[in-house]
């Protein structure tokens, strides 16, 4: 039996505000434990919250960028549960009046565009952290620096049908929040993470099956792997006649398997009610219009423009716009040097690979627009071959030296001296009578052999176009 997987993601994004959601404590990362705290986020009796206006603005911007309607009178609610990292024993969140609703984003998987609905985006505060690596190995320590940090939760419709689509959705959300600058998108630090709700059903059945929820997936790879594994687990279970329970799971990235954290609570377990300490969030229509007018160019629009302005394929443009900094770098280089397609190939190819290995961003690389532009020009002019260009690129990446300097230093200039190449090629023809005879009998593939010999002789520096012309002539 074939099953269709049904997936809905709940993405948490930490908002890039300087201060917390309901107090003026800093949100800075890596401080001494419990130093970014005050009576409000420590939940001392009598302390009252106030709303961070920047957080509201960020949530609205995100809602607009994801085609949501913006509620002008949204409400904070208390979500009650007990856990040691939650000093108030409730989390301030939003319940039936979230700030954004009914939106969508488009994702592309296997060159097909698919629209994924966004049910809601609501504001809430983060909890603190339990630390188990303290002085006493048997103790749990509590660090409340993170308590009260502003989050948005972006809840998708159950429109996603595969791990590939889920990953593409997550990547798109990452692009959008970082383009807007409302979240720094640092998944390793948990600043963008998601819970994946997964169920299976027979294809022809319209009703959804029982879902599980895998918590806190903090990389694109984990999103993909955890969903694949859960689909496989549920498929086996259903085939074996087992029941799927509505459970909360935790993904172990090392073991590549999930374990059960708890059997899921329902909304009523949280006893939601409007937070009596906070007013409704009243937003002026004109403010929403203003935010809308000032939204930056978003990934989809940028992709279209790149295809149009620089004659790039959909595929190339899509790769370039994933990261706002990469897109800006590309555009900056092309404005100075032209050769859009070639620049795009370098950025999406060797450059992306090296950045990935070094785990740095394009703007932190020693290769500036000038390095890349000059290199591509030198290859175009025939000063160096494309192959040597690749070696130079790697050295530039390590040293930050300009391509011209590296070419001089290492004597890598392409040999375009026709008479020198002519004599090298003649020698090769004379030294290989068998191959010449075979070639003339029709084994045209041997042409590559001759060119290869000439390249060997010139240490890869022979101008390939000239070498090829000379052999064509000699082997007639
Ligand atoms: P909760 O708040 O209890 O987690 P929600 O109704 O808000 O529950 O749904 C959370 C997420 O689960 C949403 O992204 C939604 O699309 C998804 N979802 C709901 N039902 C299913 C299902 N049967 N299979 C997969 N995903 C589902
Ligand atoms: Mg939820
Ligand atoms: Zn505080």
């Amino acid at each position: 039996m074939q099953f269709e997987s049904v997936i809905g993601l709940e993405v948490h994004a930490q908002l890039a505000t300087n201060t917390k959601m309901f107090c003026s404590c800093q949100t800075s990362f890596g401080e001494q434990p419990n130093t970014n705290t005050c009576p409000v986020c420590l939940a001392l009796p009598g302390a009252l919250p106030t709303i961070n206006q920047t957080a509201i603005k960020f949530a609205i911007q995100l809602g607009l960028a994801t085609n949501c309607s913006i509620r002008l009178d949204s409400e904070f609610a208390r979500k009650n549960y007990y856990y040691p990292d939650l000093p108030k024993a409730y989390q301030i969140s939003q319940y039936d009046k979230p700030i954004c609703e009914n939106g969508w984003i488009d994702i592309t998987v296997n060159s097909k565009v698919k629209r994924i609905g966004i049910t809601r985006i609501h504001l809430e505060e983060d909890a603190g952290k339990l630390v188990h690596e303290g002085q006493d190995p048997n103790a749990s320590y509590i660090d409340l620096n993170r308590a009260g940090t502003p989050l948005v939760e972006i809840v998708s419709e159950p429109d996603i049908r595969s791990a590939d689509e889920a990953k593409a959705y997550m990547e798109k959300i990452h692009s959008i929040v970082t383009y807007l600058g409302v979240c720094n998108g640092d998944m390793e630090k948990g600043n963008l993470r998601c819970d994946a709700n997964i169920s299976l059903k027979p294809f022809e059945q319209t009703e959804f099956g029982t879902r599980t929820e895998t918590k806190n997936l903090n990389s694109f790879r984990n999103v993909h792997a955890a969903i694949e594994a859960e689909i496989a687990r549920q498929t086996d279970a259903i085939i074996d006649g087992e029941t799927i329970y509505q459970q909360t799971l935790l993904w172990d990235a090392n073991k590549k398997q999930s374990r059960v954290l708890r059997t899921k609570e329902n909304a009523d377990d949280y006893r939601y009610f409007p937070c009596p300490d906070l007013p409704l969030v009243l937003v002026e229509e004109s403010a929403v219009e203003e935010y809308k007018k000032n939204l930056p160019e978003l990934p989809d629009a940028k992709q279209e423009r790149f295809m149009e302005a620089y004659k790039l394929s959909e595929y190339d443009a899509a790769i370039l716009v994933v990261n706002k900094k990469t897109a800006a770098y590309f555009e900056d280089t092309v404005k100075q040097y032209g050769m859009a397609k070639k620049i795009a190939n370098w950025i999406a190819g060797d450059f992306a690979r090296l950045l990935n290995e070094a785990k740095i961003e394009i703007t932190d690389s020693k290769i500036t627009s000038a390095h890349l532009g000059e290199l591509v020009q030198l290859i175009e002019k025939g000063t160096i071959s494309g192959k040597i260009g690749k070696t130079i690129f790697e050295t530039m990446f390590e040293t930050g030296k300009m391509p011209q300097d590296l070419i001089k230093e290492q004597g890598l200039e392409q040999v375009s001296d026709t008479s020198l190449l002519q004599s090298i090629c003649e020698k090769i023809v004379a030294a290989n009578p068998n191959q010449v005879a075979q070639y003339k009998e029709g084994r045209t593939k041997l042409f590559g052999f001759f060119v290869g010999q000439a390249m060997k002789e010139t240490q890869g520096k022979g101008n390939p176009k000239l070498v090829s012309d000379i052999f064509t002539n000699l082997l007639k």
Side-chain angles (χ1 to χ4, degrees):
M1 196 178 203
Q2 284 273 341
F3 297 104
E4 182 174 39
S5 32
V6 174
I7 302 160
L9 297 186
E10 296 168 88
V11 177
H12 283 97
Q14 181 178 322
L15 294 176
T17 55
N18 296 325
T19 56
K20 292 188 180 179
M21 186 68 232
F22 300 111
C23 60
S24 50
C25 289
Q26 297 292 307
T27 52
S28 48
F29 186 82
E31 306 291 341
Q32 282 297 311
N34 299 305
T35 52
N36 282 351
T37 54
C38 75
V40 174
C41 53
L42 290 175
L44 299 188
L48 286 173
T50 49
I51 299 172
N52 182 332
Q53 200 169 342
T54 308
I56 304 289
K57 173 178 155 186
F58 283 176
I60 295 173
Q61 288 174 321
L62 179 57
L64 291 169
T66 52
N67 308 292
C68 288
S69 45
I70 309 300
R71 188 189 295 270
L72 301 178
D73 59 346
S74 71
E75 183 179 76
F76 283 104
R78 289 186 181 178
K79 181 180 182 181
N80 298 280
Y81 66 95
Y82 174 76
Y83 202 68
D85 65 8
L86 189 71
K88 293 194 296 290
Y90 62 84
Q91 177 194 31
I92 304 178
S93 181
Q94 295 191 305
Y95 186 50
D96 50 0
K97 289 184 183 164
I99 190 152
C100 312
E101 278 171 304
N102 301 324
W104 50 264
I105 60 170
D106 284 337
I107 59 168
T108 307
V109 175
N110 298 330
S111 350
K112 273 204 216 94
V113 177
K114 178 166 174 181
R115 185 154 293 180
I116 307 295
I118 289 177
T119 316
R120 54 190 273 144
I121 299 175
H122 65 252
L123 278 156
E124 58 188 30
E125 55 177 343
D126 209 345
K129 251 184 201 162
L130 290 186
V131 181
H132 301 283
E133 299 92 34
Q135 265 179 339
D136 177 351
N138 296 315
S140 292
Y141 294 82
I142 301 175
D143 178 6
L144 293 174
N145 281 350
R146 201 181 63 181
T149 300
L151 300 176
V152 279
E153 179 173 335
I154 307 158
V155 182
S156 89
E157 288 289 300
D159 290 344
I160 298 165
R161 289 291 173 273
S162 67
D164 286 349
E165 287 183 11
K167 180 164 167 271
Y169 173 85
M170 195 67 190
E171 285 170 346
K172 198 54 162 288
I173 294 283
H174 184 273
S175 286
I176 293 171
V177 296
T178 50
Y179 266 64
L180 293 170
V182 301
C183 168
N184 70 14
D186 190 340
M187 296 180 75
E188 262 174 41
K189 290 205 185 104
N191 294 349
L192 186 72
R193 53 191 195 259
C194 95
D195 305 339
N197 295 269
I198 304 158
S199 67
L200 296 187
K201 66 175 184 65
F203 269 95
E204 61 282 0
Q205 181 182 310
T206 45
E207 196 187 318
F208 292 160
T210 304
R211 71 184 144 114
T212 61
E213 179 174 355
T214 308
K215 283 292 202 197
N216 282 336
L217 299 167
N218 64 351
S219 71
F220 300 126
R221 184 188 303 170
N222 286 346
V223 169
H224 194 271
I227 291 175
E228 290 257 274
E230 179 57 10
I231 291 172
R233 187 194 69 84
Q234 288 190 21
T235 305
D236 287 350
I238 294 172
I239 288 170
D240 291 347
E242 291 166 18
T243 313
I244 305 291
Y245 295 100
Q246 192 181 331
Q247 282 170 326
T248 303
L249 310 175
L250 200 63
W251 175 245
D252 184 329
N254 295 323
K255 288 193 193 147
K256 299 204 184 322
Q257 67 183 44
S258 292
R259 65 181 167 84
V260 177
L261 203 63
R262 56 178 179 264
T263 299
K264 174 83 181 166
E265 53 286 274
N266 284 313
D268 354 333
D269 298 333
Y270 291 122
R271 293 162 291 126
Y272 277 101
F273 63 88
C275 182
D277 290 341
L278 289 166
L280 288 180
V281 182
L282 298 178
V283 181
E284 303 277 344
E285 183 93 59
S286 61
V288 175
E289 284 309 312
E290 194 62 28
Y291 293 151
K292 194 171 195 171
K293 229 176 44 206
N294 292 317
L295 283 182
E297 183 182 42
L298 291 164
D300 287 354
K302 200 183 281 287
Q303 182 181 341
E304 295 251 318
R305 185 169 63 77
F306 276 13
M307 288 165 66
E308 177 78 28
Y310 304 116
K311 305 282 167 272
L312 295 178
S313 69
E314 187 173 343
Y315 180 81
D316 287 339
I319 291 179
L320 292 174
V321 303
V322 165
N323 182 315
K324 186 182 183 177
K325 290 178 182 168
T326 310
Y329 185 104
F330 164 79
E331 209 158 18
D332 187 39
T333 313
V334 172
K335 281 204 176 120
Q336 298 174 63
Y337 295 91
M339 304 178 292
K341 171 69 183 155
K342 297 228 156 67
I343 303 281
N345 286 349
W346 278 101
I347 293 178
D350 293 58
F351 206 174
R353 176 177 54 80
L354 292 171
L355 291 170
N356 208 2
E357 282 167 13
K359 290 194 170 43
I360 57 169
E361 289 222 75
I362 200 159
T363 39
D364 300 324
S365 152
K366 288 180 184 155
I367 298 188
T368 64
S369 289
H371 288 85
L372 179 56
E374 300 279 335
L375 179 72
V376 176
Q377 258 180 3
L378 289 164
I379 298 171
E380 276 303 279
K381 276 195 296 197
T383 311
I384 52 166
S385 68
K387 201 166 163 203
I388 286 185
K390 279 180 175 278
T391 331
I392 291 183
F393 193 85
E394 301 222 355
T395 318
M396 291 199 309
F397 189 83
E398 274 156 36
T399 63
K401 289 188 182 169
M402 286 302 279
Q404 298 89 326
D405 298 337
L406 289 169
I407 292 166
K408 267 202 212 105
E409 246 172 54
Q410 303 180 19
L412 294 173
E413 207 147 329
Q414 187 156 273
V415 179
S416 297
D417 175 341
T418 322
S419 56
L420 175 62
L421 291 174
Q422 177 79 26
S423 78
I424 290 172
C425 294
E426 280 170 6
K427 263 187 226 150
I428 291 167
V429 168
N432 296 283
N434 283 343
Q435 279 84 348
V436 173
Q438 285 178 29
Y439 178 82
K440 290 191 173 167
E441 277 161 27
R443 276 195 65 194
T444 48
K445 266 199 212 149
L446 279 170
F447 195 78
F449 161 80
F450 292 108
V451 174
Q453 291 295 308
M455 285 304 176
K456 207 160 143 194
E457 203 61 34
T458 56
Q459 280 131 17
K461 289 182 284 184
N463 181 323
K465 169 93 178 57
L466 290 181
V467 168
S468 154
D469 287 351
I470 293 168
F471 276 126
T472 308
N473 235 332
L474 288 175
L475 295 167
K476 260 203 296 231

